Amino acid sequence: MTNRVATAADLDGLTATLTAAFAEDPLWSWAFPEREDLAEWWRFSINSALRYSSTWTMEDYAAAALWIPPGGTELTEGEEAQVEPMIRRLAGSRASSIMELLQRFDASHPNDEPHYYLSLLGVHPDHRGEGLGMALLADNLAGMDAEGFPSYLESSNPSNNSRYERLGYVQVGELSTPDGTRTVTTMWREVPAEARASAALRE
């Protein structure tokens, strides 16, 4: 399938695919048990990420990857102010736990080296088992290697960790939900030595 950079016109398609992809995810189904709540949260996050030209999709939205580029932020300052009211509206009595989880994500994020951050990677359930997610990720990483930037991600599903490791990621830490029932693996990928050398020659 063909990969392309997503635009604002893709917001509905991206939201549908990523909501379906994470509906049974160990972490995000804990945070947002109701699918429509998860869809609203993802739509909010995706809409912000689309201000950068680093969100990718496959044809028919079979898979999608949201990257925050070096120096970028997941949300604007104005959007940050909307997060807590939204979470409290969506989650009610569970809002404090979700806000604490988001704070743990922020605290775990590396800040000492410019890098790409994989905010979301998902495959539509109709296309699971076809290797599309890892193919999209590998294609994205090739471009980042050419630029000379490492990357960081959080794996919310332990079954995906080995897939990320095959593409060069290593575990650098972990965090858990406030109730301790879910664990997230934080992973970092250095630019391979050959790619780093090639990028340096182009500078």
Side-chain angles (χ1 to χ4, degrees):
M1 291 190 177
T2 302
N3 304 331
R4 64 176 176 82
V5 174
T7 69
D10 296 304
L11 180 58
D12 289 346
L14 294 170
T15 300
T17 285
L18 290 168
T19 300
F22 283 90
E24 298 179 4
D25 179 80
L27 179 74
W28 293 107
S29 63
W30 171 89
F32 298 105
E34 300 299 326
R35 187 161 174 160
E36 59 268 26
D37 294 340
L38 179 62
E40 184 171 344
W41 177 246
W42 275 171
R43 186 178 184 86
F44 177 70
S45 303
I46 296 164
N47 186 60
S48 185
L50 285 169
R51 72 189 191 276
Y52 301 117
S53 59
S54 53
T55 292
W56 290 79
T57 185
M58 288 184 164
E59 59 187 80
D60 298 325
Y61 306 107
L66 273 67
W67 293 94
I68 306 303
T73 60
E74 283 190 90
L75 301 173
T76 65
E77 288 187 12
E79 290 165 342
E80 287 282 1
Q82 299 175 47
V83 169
E84 185 168 356
M86 177 185 294
I87 295 296
R88 295 203 176 280
R89 176 171 54 80
L90 295 177
S93 62
R94 301 179 61 254
S96 295
S97 292
I98 297 174
M99 289 301 300
E100 173 63 25
L101 173 65
L102 297 179
Q103 291 167 7
R104 293 182 183 188
F105 272 105
D106 288 343
S108 296
H109 199 115
N111 295 308
D112 55 350
E113 182 177 356
H115 62 277
Y116 276 92
Y117 168 45
L118 182 59
S119 176
L120 286 171
L121 173 68
V123 176
H124 194 282
D126 290 347
H127 293 279
R128 281 187 184 143
E130 299 174 18
L132 299 183
M134 291 301 106
L136 178 57
L137 179 55
D139 186 56
N140 292 166
L141 291 174
M144 293 167 200
D145 287 349
E147 293 181 48
F149 285 111
S151 61
Y152 170 79
L153 62 80
E154 299 120 350
S155 175
S156 58
N157 189 336
S159 66
N160 291 329
N161 292 2
S162 61
R163 297 185 178 98
Y164 294 132
E165 288 168 352
R166 286 196 290 271
L167 291 179
Y169 284 93
V170 296
Q171 180 175 350
V172 291
E174 64 179 28
L175 60 101
S176 64
T177 53
D179 63 4
T181 62
R182 305 289 192 277
T183 299
V184 177
T185 303
T186 59
M187 309 187 82
W188 179 267
R189 180 183 181 274
E190 290 287 354
V191 179
E194 290 183 5
R196 190 183 305 114
S198 296
L201 289 172
R202 290 191 296 271
E203 292 180 354

